[in-house]
Amino acid sequence: AEYQSWDSVDPAELFTAKTLRKAQQGSVVKHLQVESKSVDFIVLWLDCDREGENICFEVLSICQGLMKSGGGAGETSNYDRVYRAYFSAINPSDIQKAYQKLGKPDRNQALSVDARQELDLKVGVAFSRFQTRYFQG
């Protein structure tokens, strides 16, 4: 709310503004929450790019703490039962290869997406405001 005013906020201030992530909600989130309570393992089959890695951690933020207990408490103890499938085509042989070589989600790739999204937001908003002010005189 403090950065809403185009007149009183210098666009340069937007680069140091804190960004907030809202908790996910909706029918997909509710479905994931219900289903994750009955699972021993999670295998994430998402696009094999940075955005896919980022979505992996969004899904895990919803599901991991709700999984059946692995003997410990909370998300950390369940991570050993989380896997990531890496594949480049949706055909039987590639799917079987991916299943046989399950890996772990890559947090660094996911964090790079978070950083890019924040930069896109801040640069986009600041540039829009700067350009609007410039052309308005």
Side-chain angles (χ1 to χ4, degrees):
E2 65 183 291
Y3 297 103
Q4 296 290 349
S5 173
W6 284 44
D7 297 322
S8 62
V9 176
D10 181 355
E13 285 182 52
L14 299 171
F15 290 100
T16 57
K18 267 225 180 268
T19 55
L20 303 173
R21 280 196 184 266
K22 291 186 177 182
Q24 301 100 341
Q25 50 188 321
S27 60
V28 172
V29 171
K30 288 181 178 130
H31 177 73
L32 289 170
Q33 289 169 332
V34 168
E35 293 301 320
S36 56
K37 291 177 184 177
S38 63
V39 302
D40 295 307
F41 297 89
I42 293 178
V43 180
L44 299 155
W45 294 78
L46 296 148
D47 289 351
C48 291
D49 58 15
R50 286 186 175 126
E51 297 292 336
E53 292 301 315
N54 193 265
I55 295 168
C56 283
F57 287 95
E58 287 186 35
V59 170
L60 289 176
S61 73
I62 296 164
C63 300
Q64 197 173 350
L66 299 172
M67 293 169 64
K68 288 182 179 178
S69 177
E75 293 182 14
T76 314
S77 65
N78 291 335
Y79 191 73
D80 62 333
R81 297 180 290 124
V82 171
Y83 298 94
R84 171 82 160 101
Y86 293 96
F87 57 97
S88 56
I90 302 176
N91 59 52
S93 66
D94 282 9
I95 291 172
Q96 289 170 352
K97 285 178 194 173
Y99 183 72
Q100 292 167 359
K101 294 181 180 182
L102 294 175
K104 291 290 190 181
D106 185 339
R107 184 169 299 280
N108 289 330
Q109 285 191 39
L111 291 172
S112 75
V113 171
D114 289 342
R116 184 202 41 84
Q117 288 174 345
E118 185 172 337
L119 279 171
D120 285 353
L121 174 67
K122 289 181 176 185
V123 170
V125 171
F127 185 72
S128 294
R129 290 185 184 190
F130 173 76
Q131 193 172 25
T132 300
R133 283 181 174 179
Y134 177 80
F135 286 117
Q136 285 177 345

